[in-house]
């Protein structure tokens, strides 16, 4: 057992990541757990791939909304060879924002990255890298372009996941700070009311 595990009573911090995107853009259709180390800190990842769930439009997406409620961070995946999968990214981000806003998580920022897959297929490319970067900038998401088919694809996937884990950690710290400030203000208000009586 590592020192980090022992300090937390044997339990690692956990991040639940959800991969969203249209079918055919390179998702694996699996749910899996793994332990990683990001910036020297161990973390247990639960990664849910939503490949079997329809993502074309927003209405009537109960299974997709359930996955979004479950997730701490999101990977919006599209294929550079499929403009429809690229166009679905904006709709998915709006759905994430809508679901998380209903849960009261709007203010802390929703950790999300956009991943353009199949960049090794230059002959079939229909979405330029600068289009992906512009979309990520508009949606305030991180952006990665990679190919899981290439020999170095594993390293690129690892870098993208590490960036998302950093976003999740930052959002949690920010959320904790907001909670502490709210508690302090509530406590002061209660003391102030008591002093008035």
């Amino acid at each position: 057992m590592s020192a980090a595990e022992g300090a937390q009573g044997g339990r690692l911090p956990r991040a639940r990541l959800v991969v969203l995107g249209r079918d055919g853009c390179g998702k694996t259709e699996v749910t899996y757990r793994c332990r990683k180390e990001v910036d020297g800190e161990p973390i247990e990842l639960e990664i849910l791939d939503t490949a079997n769930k329809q993502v074309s439009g927003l209405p009537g997406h109960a299974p997709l909304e359930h996955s979004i409620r479950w997730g701490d961070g999101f990977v919006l995946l599209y294929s550079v060879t499929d403009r429809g999968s690229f166009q679905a990214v904006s709709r998915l981000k709006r759905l994430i924002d809508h679901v998380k806003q209903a849960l009261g998580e709007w203010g802390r920022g929703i950790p999300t990255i956009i991943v353009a897959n199949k960049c090794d297929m230059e002959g079939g490319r229909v979405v330029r890298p600068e289009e992906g970067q512009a979309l990520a900038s508009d949606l305030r998401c991180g952006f990665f372009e990679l190919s899981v088919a290439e020999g170095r694809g594993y390293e690129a996937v690892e870098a993208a996941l590490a960036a998302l884990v950093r976003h999740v950690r930052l959002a949690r710290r920010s959320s904790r700070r907001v909670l502490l400030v709210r508690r302090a203000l509530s406590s002061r208000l209660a003391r102030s009311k008591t002093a008035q009586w």
Side-chain angles (χ1 to χ4, degrees), residues 15 17 32-36 43-47 161 165:
L17 310 180
Y32 61 94
R33 289 183 176 90
C34 59
R35 290 183 179 200
K36 297 285 180 192
I43 189 162
E44 184 174 320
L45 299 181
E46 290 184 66
I47 302 173
L161 288 179
V165 166

Side-chain angles (χ1 to χ4, degrees), residues 11-136:
R11 293 193 64 191
L12 289 178
R14 180 180 65 177
R16 296 177 297 196
L17 310 180
V18 181
V19 181
L20 299 165
R22 282 186 20 168
D23 287 343
C25 59
K27 297 187 294 112
T28 58
E29 304 187 20
V30 295
T31 301
Y32 61 94
R33 289 183 176 90
C34 59
R35 290 183 179 200
K36 297 285 180 192
E37 193 168 292
V38 177
D39 302 329
E41 298 178 41
I43 189 162
E44 184 174 320
L45 299 181
E46 290 184 66
I47 302 173
L48 171 64
D49 190 321
T50 60
N52 292 325
K53 297 175 182 169
Q54 184 181 352
V55 296
S56 0
L58 291 178
H61 279 82
L64 201 54
E65 290 178 8
H66 177 74
S67 298
I68 291 169
R69 282 192 295 273
W70 177 85
D72 298 315
F74 301 90
V75 177
L76 300 179
L77 188 69
Y78 72 88
S79 168
V80 301
T81 64
D82 177 5
R83 183 157 292 277
S85 70
F86 174 71
Q87 292 167 336
V89 168
S90 293
R91 292 191 301 272
L92 287 167
K93 182 64 168 81
R94 283 194 303 271
L95 181 60
I96 291 167
D97 291 346
H98 172 76
V99 171
K100 290 298 191 178
Q101 181 181 21
L103 294 173
E105 298 181 28
W106 182 261
R108 70 173 175 85
I110 294 129
T112 308
I113 60 170
I114 296 173
V115 173
N117 191 21
K118 302 186 181 180
C119 67
D120 59 311
M121 302 177 75
E122 283 300 324
R125 180 188 282 271
V126 294
V127 182
R128 297 183 323 275
E130 51 272 20
E131 290 180 274
Q133 290 169 341
L135 179 62

Side-chain angles (χ1 to χ4, degrees), residues 1-13 35:
M1 182 186 307
S2 73
E5 288 175 294
Q8 299 203 8
R11 293 193 64 191
L12 289 178
R35 290 183 179 200

